[in-house]
Amino acid sequence: MTNPTDEARVLDAVPTGLFIGGSWRPAASGATLPVDDPATGKTLVEVADAGPEDGMEALAAAAAAQSSFAAMAPRARGEILHRAYQLLMERIDDLALLMTMEMGKPLAESKGEITYAAEFFRWFSEEAVRIDGGYAVAPAGTSRFMVMKQPVGVCLLITPWNFPMAMGTRKIGPAIAAGCAMVIKPSELTPLSMHALAAILVEAGLPDGVLNVITTSNAGAVMEPLIRDGRARKLSFTGSTPVGKKLLEQASDKVLRTSMELGGNAPLIVFDDADLDKAVEGAMAAKMRNMGEACTAANRFLVHRTVADAFADKLAARMGALVVGRGTEDGVQVGPLVNAKSREKVVTLVQDALDKGASVKVGAEPGDGPGHFYPPTVLTGVPLEARLSHEEIFGPVAAITVFDEEDEAVAAANDTEFGLVSYLFTENLTRALRVSERLEAGMIGLNTGLVSNPAAPFGGIKESGLGREGGSVGIDEFLETKYVGIAFGG
């Protein structure tokens, strides 16, 4: 268990202003916004609340830094990222405590996220020196083709509250590696991790103006002018599909390059030939990471009728044994949801499923008291018409529906506008490959509940997003390809 002295020390070390042009400053209006502890409802600290004027200053700072940063040697950019990686790992305990206080996840999970976040910096520190091009002879032989890759330019980055450090490094890492200056807007619910990250990048040697951080309670008023300004050439967003659609409309004004990781409605299919212990272990990882507050979280559990009861019993035993509480306390495995609105959504979705005939295997009884807690819950007999089958839960609820045939399971899994990730559990290799090809998702978890890895391309299809983050293709989202035709011959 942490003590109040440690918590105060960690909070005192975090800058609370806007980070523009290499300096921390208050908002032009002097406005601030509170950052609350979701486990207690108490305010941790007040941070600067940016307005449109602050946003334009941040964009101007990034635009001023773009040319010189793009000219920096790739090795030098990579070394900045590697130093930042080392600093993140050295300070993992304090950074994890900070994240737990503002977001709610248990300390063990926060440490896991810091490690995951740092790996994006290490990965892209290595990718910075591997930006390549090409040289070829034209088919007719009368000219030569030269292809080069260059930074796309100033980037606008918008990150969510649920992974406040990793969603930042996943965007900042390739932007720095490619040579792009940027303005980043973290969620107003969890800005402190991003502030700490910005301070670490400064310490690692990032030039002034390359990274600018603006926190705001009015994202639309601050970000839309930047998107429509013309000096920015790239928009990267992680968040809900409705917001992503609005941003795409705004980005069309100046034809900004866009990449987006949006909502999910992940199915988890358990076939009759699955190893049930492996399937339950994978289900726990896919459902309970981050209290279920993840776009990759398993949303719909489709289980073959012959193993449905056994799977539900095993899953309910595991879910019911989880310890709920403030993430700073010893032994806690499940923290609070991020705010009252998130908790109320889960309550509403569960009640809708119960009203439509679902049964409670475990949980579904939120208690009273401070904090936005909801117990790990397993529902069985959830009909496909329940809202849980179509809406992203973003909470610790596993909704089980049975199926009889493979085609039925695949059809149900694909019956959604989303396509971020799908999970399947089977010991039949042919079925595994066949179903993986048929599932409409950008990522497949085959006999695993965890797909995220900095070295792999992360992203979805349909209304779950555009482009990919991570892997060897992640840096391409921040590069433009230029072709030079060269006359050749006498």
Side-chain angles (χ1 to χ4, degrees):
M1 180 182 294
T2 62
N3 61 63
T5 301
D6 283 338
E7 294 183 16
R9 174 181 56 80
V10 168
L11 286 173
D12 288 344
V14 182
T16 57
L18 308 175
F19 187 58
I20 300 175
S23 300
W24 294 96
R25 63 176 76 171
S29 67
T32 61
L33 61 87
V35 180
D36 296 335
D37 180 344
T40 65
K42 296 180 180 178
T43 296
L44 297 168
V45 69
E46 298 266 345
V47 300
D49 188 1
E53 177 184 343
D54 301 303
M56 294 305 289
E57 286 189 16
L59 179 59
Q66 177 58 46
S67 179
S68 60
F69 188 60
M72 178 182 284
R75 177 71 69 190
R77 298 198 300 266
E79 287 173 348
I80 291 170
L81 287 172
H82 197 266
R83 285 194 293 272
Y85 157 77
Q86 292 174 314
L87 290 169
L88 284 168
M89 296 308 296
E90 288 171 8
R91 298 171 190 174
I92 188 170
D93 290 337
D94 283 355
L95 293 170
L97 177 55
L98 179 69
M99 184 181 296
T100 292
M101 285 190 288
E102 70 170 342
M103 191 268 155
K105 68 182 73 179
L107 278 172
E109 281 207 53
S110 292
K111 288 184 180 180
E113 182 178 337
I114 302 301
T115 301
Y116 176 56
E119 281 297 325
F120 280 105
F121 278 179
R122 180 156 71 163
W123 174 262
F124 285 110
S125 74
E126 298 160 347
E127 290 295 290
V129 296
R130 293 181 174 83
I131 300 170
D132 58 13
Y135 181 86
V137 178
T142 56
S143 63
R144 300 294 184 265
F145 301 155
M146 184 169 67
V147 176
M148 62 182 73
K149 294 181 180 179
Q150 298 178 313
V152 69
V154 174
C155 300
L156 305 176
L157 313 177
I158 303 174
T159 59
W161 52 263
N162 55 342
F163 293 95
M165 183 75 76
M167 297 303 96
T169 60
R170 198 158 78 181
K171 298 179 190 300
I172 293 169
I176 290 175
C180 298
M182 69 210 86
V183 177
I184 187 164
K185 188 207 78 65
S187 169
E188 71 276 15
L189 297 177
T190 57
L192 303 180
S193 292
M194 181 58 64
H195 287 204
L197 180 61
I200 282 174
L201 282 163
V202 170
E203 190 174 342
L206 192 68
D208 292 349
V210 173
L211 175 68
N212 302 274
V213 182
I214 51 174
T215 53
T216 179
S217 60
N218 193 349
V222 172
M223 295 306 295
E224 183 172 358
L226 309 190
I227 294 170
R228 297 186 185 277
D229 180 272
R231 284 174 288 180
R233 297 309 314 150
K234 161 80 179 178
L235 171 64
S236 178
F237 169 72
T238 298
S240 73
T241 296
V243 174
K245 289 179 178 180
K246 290 180 181 179
L247 293 175
L248 282 171
E249 290 178 2
Q250 295 169 13
S252 69
D253 186 30
K254 298 297 182 182
V255 196
L256 264 64
R257 181 87 166 267
T258 58
S259 54
M260 297 197 171
E261 192 256 292
L262 306 176
N265 188 8
L268 187 148
I269 307 173
V270 180
F271 287 101
D272 54 345
D273 58 10
D275 179 324
L276 283 192
D277 290 333
K278 187 187 297 182
V280 169
E281 196 65 35
M284 291 296 294
K287 177 73 267 181
M288 292 308 297
R289 184 187 183 199
N290 215 50
M291 293 83 73
E293 294 176 311
C295 293
T296 56
N299 217 48
R300 299 167 292 148
F301 289 71
L302 306 172
V303 186
H304 193 276
R305 189 179 301 276
T306 60
V307 297
D309 288 344
F311 176 83
D313 288 343
K314 288 175 176 286
L315 183 62
R318 289 287 301 276
M319 294 275 275
L322 294 172
V323 178
V324 180
R326 189 171 188 242
T328 56
E329 298 172 0
D330 292 340
V332 166
Q333 298 163 293
V334 182
L337 300 182
V338 73
N339 58 18
K341 181 180 179 182
S342 295
R343 183 175 182 271
E344 184 56 36
K345 178 185 177 183
V346 174
V347 170
T348 301
L349 289 175
V350 168
Q351 189 59 53
D352 172 77
L354 296 178
D355 291 344
K356 289 182 169 67
S359 300
V360 177
K361 193 75 174 176
V362 70
E365 295 182 0
D368 298 325
H372 313 303
F373 294 96
Y374 194 88
T377 296
V378 176
L379 304 179
T380 58
V382 178
L384 292 177
E385 61 268 23
R387 289 175 58 191
L388 276 174
S389 299
H390 304 281
E391 299 181 29
E392 198 169 18
I393 300 171
F394 246 61
V397 178
I400 298 175
T401 301
V402 300
F403 70 90
D404 294 298
E405 302 294 336
E406 179 181 306
D407 287 347
E408 179 188 357
V410 172
N414 291 339
D415 185 21
T416 173
E417 67 269 31
F418 299 106
L420 184 60
V421 59
S422 295
Y423 304 93
L424 69 142
F425 290 82
T426 176
E427 295 300 301
N428 183 306
L429 177 60
T430 301
R431 168 177 277 164
L433 296 177
R434 181 176 63 242
V435 174
S436 292
E437 289 187 3
R438 296 178 67 192
L439 290 172
E440 297 171 354
M443 299 176 289
I444 304 294
L446 175 57
N447 290 327
T448 180
L450 212 54
V451 296
S452 302
N453 192 299
F458 186 102
I461 62 174
K462 300 198 288 190
E463 293 191 19
S464 284
L466 300 166
R468 294 296 182 268
E469 295 181 314
S472 58
V473 300
I475 197 169
D476 290 338
E477 299 287 345
F478 293 83
L479 296 167
E480 292 286 11
T481 299
K482 180 182 286 185
Y483 151 65
V484 180
I486 307 170
F488 198 81

